[in-house]
Amino acid sequence: MSVSMSRRTLLSAAAGSVAAVAVGTEAGAAPATRTRVTPALRELEAKIRAGMARYAIPGVAVGVWHRGAEYVRGFGVTNVDDPVPVDGDTVFRVASTTKTFTGTAAMRLVERGRLDLDRTVRSYLPDFHTADRAASARVTVRELLNHSAGWLGDFFLDTGSGADALARYVEAMSVLPQLTPPGTVFAYNNAALSLAGRLIEVITGASYEEAVRTLVLDPLRLRHSAFFLDDIPGASVAVPHGVDADGKPFAAPEAFAMPRAIHPAGGLISSARDQLRWARFHLGNGRTPDGRRLLTRRSMHEMQSHPGPGGTLFVELDGFGVTWMLRPTAQGPKVVQHGGDWAGQHSGFLMVPERDFALTVLTNSEGGPLLTAELFADDWALRRFAGVRNLPAVTRPVPGAALAGYEGRYSGSQIGFEGETATVELDLVADAGGLSVRVGGQEALRLAFYRRDYVRVLDPGGTDTHFRANFVRGAGGEVAWLRYGGRLYHRGAATLRSAGTSLPLQRSTLPYPGLG
């Protein structure tokens, strides 16, 4: 076990219970990289400052591409114990946005004829299987990358820091249960992306990290992006922070560590400036800064189209293309999005290609998800910069007889660093025309319906969290699953027997075992 117990317990305050606290921002605000700060950017700056104070976030870095101009800026400090101003080159762990780098590396191999998205994983890894050998034999590479493989996705086994970490992880995937048939249901799947990373290793003959560096990072000159801090000498690091019982941030540098086997799903370390360059590459024509083509237009289009099964991941989505979340808008232009969460490192990333707009925000606190929800799940930024809005979601009370079809106990599982199984158990109870979500007898959330099977997620006081969720029906038409945070919670018996560990209800793309 390479992650210490102190790391698993240091950040004990859940993001959903962060209290308001003043955190110095202006004194540490780095100058913007842009010729002119527009009124929209000033409003964005004000929202960031307010969110830092409200949610106990010591440091934020932001990058915006809008109307042909670039804006990069840092706010606050990297570490409350050793304050250094955050700037555009400060590095954070971007967590699940890493998946888009894995997908882009895979597309480079597709162009070279060494990988086929529609061939099965077993074509490349003949010995691969999960607990359901027949189902896992049918899973294609595309289904790994669009989160429809169907097996339990939150598998965080730490297989060490050696070169064989991914190989050992993939072998250990033999215990994972199949939740839904391959290719039929969207369920966010971290294990599938680590498996895709192993495919990249096998095809290239290099480690995953070296392959991504050679295929993607170096050609795009992403000098402040890597999987190991030693590969970014002299970097200013945004230290993770928890939030204590008094609502104040405290530094927890141990939390920056991550098992190597999870790198393809969430291990990249990067800066706001590099993330904005990443956005401009995917908004553009697939060329490197020196004009060399890295991906064809066809491959760029492939990544951002032909979505797999849809549903919700914080917002409504049409589905995933090749690792990009494709999000509809009321006006028509699609949003291409990701984001990521790790202990004390929470970020958002989105683009609207038809409006030539991109936004990335990186934070170093467990309060970060509350700010990223305001900027990436709510549609303020989309409206202000790109002129598009979320699909409408006007809630209405539902009669009790109809709510009965949704009531019951729902269970979700994940497998932790040491192979231990932990569960989240939710009781959904009809209340006031909606559903009360109760954990251990205490109300944690409320669900308000805006159309059949789709709900807005509210806090117990009725305040909008900016998130949406939905129910998934079985073959007979009955409600079988709640999809919350992209995960499937089974109605009825748990899909895995728990080792006795209970988890809090988390809203994140890469849940981190032991925090809650």
Side-chain angles (χ1 to χ4, degrees):
M1 178 65 181
S2 64
V3 182
S4 68
M5 181 59 69
S6 63
R7 177 178 175 274
R8 299 181 62 187
T9 56
L10 259 175
L11 303 182
S12 58
S17 62
V18 174
V21 62
V23 177
T25 57
E26 273 303 288
T33 301
R34 189 188 162 99
T35 55
R36 185 172 68 91
V37 178
T38 65
L41 288 171
R42 293 199 183 282
E43 291 176 33
L44 175 62
E45 291 175 347
K47 288 183 77 70
I48 289 171
R49 292 190 195 99
M52 291 174 71
R54 186 179 304 119
Y55 306 132
I57 306 171
V60 173
V62 60
V64 180
W65 177 257
H66 184 228
R67 295 181 179 174
E70 179 179 282
Y71 166 92
V72 179
R73 186 170 185 178
F75 298 82
V77 297
T78 61
N79 185 342
V80 293
D81 293 338
D82 183 16
V84 174
V86 172
D87 63 24
D89 295 318
T90 299
V91 298
F92 299 71
R93 199 179 286 283
V94 302
S96 286
T97 303
T98 306
K99 293 177 173 70
T100 65
F101 288 78
T102 302
T104 302
M107 289 306 297
R108 294 216 65 200
L109 298 177
V110 169
E111 289 195 350
R112 295 177 180 184
R114 302 180 67 185
L115 183 66
D116 186 330
L117 295 180
D118 296 311
R119 290 186 67 185
T120 64
V121 174
R122 290 276 290 274
S123 300
Y124 304 95
L125 294 176
D127 296 331
F128 166 72
H129 67 89
T130 59
D132 187 331
R133 289 174 177 264
S136 53
R138 301 195 306 271
V139 171
T140 66
V141 176
R142 188 185 300 275
E143 289 163 352
L144 298 183
L145 301 175
N146 70 17
H147 298 273
S148 66
W151 55 67
L152 179 70
D154 284 336
F155 179 52
F156 300 109
L157 184 68
D158 185 350
T159 53
S161 58
D164 63 346
L166 269 177
R168 294 174 60 196
Y169 176 94
V170 169
E171 183 179 359
M173 286 177 65
S174 61
V175 303
L176 298 183
Q178 194 75 20
L179 306 184
T180 57
T184 63
V185 176
F186 161 70
Y188 196 79
N189 199 312
N190 287 298
L193 267 294
S194 282
L195 175 56
R198 177 59 182 156
L199 288 180
I200 291 170
E201 286 191 335
V202 170
I203 291 169
T204 63
S207 70
Y208 165 79
E209 297 87 357
E210 177 64 17
V212 172
R213 185 187 66 79
T214 302
L215 292 168
V216 180
L217 301 180
D218 284 356
L220 292 178
R221 299 180 185 171
L222 301 180
R223 307 302 191 205
H224 286 81
S225 299
F227 292 90
F228 306 103
L229 281 173
D230 288 348
D231 293 334
I232 318 174
S236 173
V237 180
V239 170
H241 290 77
V243 181
D244 67 20
D246 295 323
K248 296 181 180 180
F250 62 92
E254 300 92 334
F256 201 82
M258 176 183 286
R260 187 172 181 179
I262 305 174
H263 278 182
L268 189 71
I269 301 160
S270 189
S271 67
R273 196 180 313 279
D274 274 10
Q275 288 291 287
L276 196 58
R277 177 168 283 185
W278 183 237
R280 293 184 62 184
F281 169 73
H282 277 281
L283 283 171
N285 58 12
R287 295 186 182 276
T288 63
D290 60 6
R292 182 167 60 91
R293 181 168 290 284
L294 197 67
L295 284 179
T296 65
R297 291 183 183 276
R298 179 178 179 179
S299 292
M300 301 287 283
H301 178 73
E302 182 87 9
M303 292 191 72
Q304 299 179 23
S305 62
H306 308 298
T312 55
L313 177 56
F314 313 135
V315 294
E316 285 192 59
L317 68 158
D318 292 328
F320 273 76
V322 176
T323 64
W324 283 116
M325 171 180 151
L326 306 179
R327 171 180 171 184
T329 65
Q331 289 70 29
K334 68 185 172 188
V335 178
V336 179
Q337 185 165 339
H338 221 290
D341 303 274
W342 189 246
Q345 304 275 286
H346 301 275
S347 61
F349 184 108
L350 64 74
M351 306 177 290
V352 186
E354 292 182 47
R355 303 295 167 88
D356 196 30
F357 166 64
L359 171 67
T360 180
V361 173
L362 310 174
T363 75
N364 67 346
S365 169
E366 284 297 88
L370 298 170
L371 176 59
T372 57
E374 292 183 1
L375 296 176
F376 293 90
D378 187 28
D379 59 15
W380 174 85
L382 291 174
R383 287 185 283 109
R384 192 66 180 88
F385 290 95
V388 297
R389 296 174 179 266
N390 286 329
L391 297 179
V394 178
T395 60
R396 64 183 191 280
V398 175
L403 289 173
Y406 299 97
E407 288 186 294
R409 172 158 290 187
Y410 293 74
S411 299
S413 301
Q414 72 177 46
I415 298 176
F417 294 154
E418 297 176 336
E420 74 282 8
T421 300
T423 61
V424 180
E425 291 189 336
L426 315 174
D427 291 309
L428 271 57
V429 179
D431 184 62
L435 293 166
S436 171
V437 181
R438 300 175 186 178
V439 179
Q442 298 295 313
E443 185 171 70
L445 297 168
R446 298 187 65 82
L447 306 180
F449 285 84
Y450 62 91
R451 62 182 171 92
R452 185 174 187 255
D453 294 343
Y454 279 75
V455 294
R456 299 185 75 151
V457 180
L458 314 176
D459 70 19
T463 302
D464 191 1
T465 67
H466 308 301
F467 292 151
R468 305 184 187 192
N470 72 290
F471 294 88
V472 179
R473 294 180 179 269
E478 74 290 350
V479 172
W481 307 89
L482 168 67
R483 184 189 284 116
Y484 175 81
R487 275 70 177 188
L488 294 179
Y489 293 81
H490 186 242
R491 189 182 184 204
T495 54
L496 278 181
R497 180 174 296 179
S498 173
T501 304
S502 181
L503 291 172
L505 189 60
Q506 295 174 324
R507 309 170 206 161
S508 57
T509 56
L510 190 68
Y512 27 92
L515 301 187

